[in-house]
Amino acid sequence: MEILRNKEELLRWRAECVKYNNIEFTNIAESKLSAESTSMKYNASIGYIPTMGALHGGHLSLVKRSKKENDFTILSIFVNPTQFGINEDFDKYPRLLEKDLDLCRIDGVDAVFVPSVDDMYSKDEETILVPPSGLSNVFEGAIRSSHFSGVLRVVLKFFNLIRPQNAYFGQKDAQQLLIIKKMVSDLFLNLNIVGCPIVRDCNGLAMSSRNVYLDEVAYNRALSIPRAVNATKEAFTSISDARLLEAIAMEELTGLEVDYCSIVDYNLNSIDKVLAGNAILLIAARVCGVRLIDNLWF
Ligand code: AMP
């Protein structure tokens, strides 16, 4: 596994992947012919997983999927300052690089990109990206005003450096996934965004790097969140009224400080009737001061 500590190392790695696989030096038709005659690959693909580190089973599920679908898998670890507000946990966000690298090695990641902040951002005022307000000023964006702008900025930089064919994101961060898909579509970016299911621990809590902030009491209280998700999922087999389903979820969340518990469509507009394939239950709640998010894609 290669550890790429700056842009130059990343670009060298990428060029090597391309060379090895005989693409970009010849056209695809020639590559195909050459591949057929020499049994070399001609359409090598790079799968990319952006992360902020403190890796867990959720991240590793994205690695697994990428490895299945691509010739090369690269994961970045970068705690992105521009997506944190001034009073958020940027400084105390868990940083566990050596452990993360071990997990990546075990899981067969080909390369890990760990740039510095100076590598990713210039000192001058930079071009910024503003996501559509309808998607970004609500839910997570309502309390974290420039969060999604910071996410898009760094994700676009990574896409442009790595130029993957496929990039893997968790459905856990539902709003982020929808906003990134919208950017890719609006800016005609040439890659696929693959949304992957939420990975949960043995008690059902959605895995998150921030779960390390939960002590035992908080952890047990937090389990109301997956209970709310499950109750809603079960109720959806016989109920499609969105308000009723929200009420069923809210009942399980009693005692938590709920920021939101809402059923919306993929444009994040409120809906009355839940239809499979275009509805999500979004939950954010604070448990002993730790803010957790979870969701259900109907
Ligand atoms: P983060 O390191 O928190 O920025 O997350 C990196 C990627 O992992 C994002 O696409 C997340 O949505 C995804 N992810 C985080 N937790 C989970 C989980 N429990 N299940 C699936 N994907 C996850």
Side-chain angles (χ1 to χ4, degrees):
M1 185 180 83
E2 297 231 28
I3 300 164
L4 313 169
R5 297 197 182 263
N6 53 48
K7 284 199 292 281
E8 292 66 37
E9 291 182 10
L10 180 270
L11 295 175
R12 181 195 45 73
W13 177 83
R14 196 191 184 286
E16 284 296 310
C17 289
V18 167
K19 196 162 115 196
Y20 168 77
N21 283 282
N22 197 31
I23 56 169
E24 286 192 4
F25 290 99
T26 57
N27 64 37
I28 291 292
E30 280 169 4
S31 298
K32 262 189 186 176
L33 275 178
S34 150
E36 277 157 15
S37 58
T38 65
S39 78
M40 273 176 83
K41 294 178 187 171
Y42 56 85
N43 57 349
S45 60
I46 295 179
Y48 168 51
I49 300 121
T51 82
M52 297 206 297
L55 301 182
H56 52 65
H59 298 113
L60 299 175
S61 72
L62 308 183
V63 168
K64 200 166 171 191
R65 177 88 179 258
S66 171
K67 279 183 64 71
K68 208 164 98 191
E69 297 179 353
N70 300 279
D71 298 286
F72 296 96
T73 289
I74 179 165
L75 177 144
S76 63
I77 298 177
F78 183 66
V79 185
N80 174 35
T82 63
Q83 70 187 71
F84 286 80
I86 29 178
N87 293 322
E88 293 183 19
D89 57 347
F90 175 72
D91 288 327
K92 85 170 204 213
Y93 196 84
R95 288 165 171 86
L96 304 161
L97 186 59
E98 289 312 314
K99 187 170 164 240
D100 288 348
L101 294 176
D102 283 345
L103 288 172
C104 288
R105 260 184 220 105
I106 293 167
D107 280 56
V109 172
D110 296 294
V112 181
F113 182 35
V114 277
S116 66
V117 172
D118 286 348
D119 244 300
M120 295 306 293
Y121 290 103
S122 80
K123 295 258 182 288
D124 311 328
E125 187 179 359
E126 285 200 344
T127 305
I128 58 163
L129 283 159
V130 181
S133 57
L135 284 177
S136 66
N137 290 349
V138 290
F139 300 112
E140 290 307 287
I143 56 148
R144 308 180 76 188
S145 64
S146 55
H147 172 70
F148 289 113
S149 172
V151 169
L152 290 191
R153 243 172 110 180
V154 83
V155 165
L156 184 59
K157 283 171 186 261
F158 278 122
F159 285 173
N160 285 334
L161 284 173
I162 296 170
R163 285 181 287 137
Q165 280 80 353
N166 298 300
Y168 296 81
F169 291 84
Q171 288 183 335
K172 158 97 182 347
D173 296 281
Q175 191 173 4
Q176 168 176 285
L177 175 59
L178 294 171
I179 289 175
I180 286 168
K181 280 190 168 172
K182 178 79 171 122
M183 171 179 77
V184 166
S185 150
D186 287 349
L187 302 185
F188 311 125
L189 302 185
N190 191 17
L191 82 165
N192 304 310
I193 301 298
V194 184
C196 303
I198 298 179
V199 175
R200 300 176 179 280
D201 71 11
C202 56
N203 296 308
L205 187 66
M207 289 189 174
S208 162
S209 306
R210 290 190 170 98
N211 289 357
V212 296
Y213 302 150
L214 298 168
D215 62 19
E216 202 185 326
V217 173
Y219 177 84
N220 286 322
R221 283 195 197 155
L223 296 181
S224 309
I225 301 175
R227 276 201 289 273
V229 168
N230 276 337
T232 314
K233 193 174 172 180
E234 249 168 58
F236 179 58
T237 55
S238 55
I239 299 170
S240 62
D241 183 280
R243 299 294 85 72
L244 210 54
L245 290 168
E246 286 168 356
I248 288 165
M250 273 306 283
E251 206 173 302
E252 295 291 340
L253 299 172
T254 308
L256 300 191
E257 211 182 309
V258 178
D259 276 351
Y260 53 78
C261 172
S262 306
I263 294 178
V264 291
D265 63 15
Y266 290 177
N267 293 315
L268 301 184
N269 294 319
S270 181
I271 47 173
D272 293 330
K273 193 172 156 47
V274 175
L275 293 173
N278 188 21
I280 326 173
L281 165 72
L282 296 173
I283 296 176
R286 284 166 216 269
V287 185
C288 306
V290 182
R291 194 164 176 284
L292 299 173
I293 60 170
D294 201 339
N295 58 64
L296 171 67
W297 297 64
F298 291 97

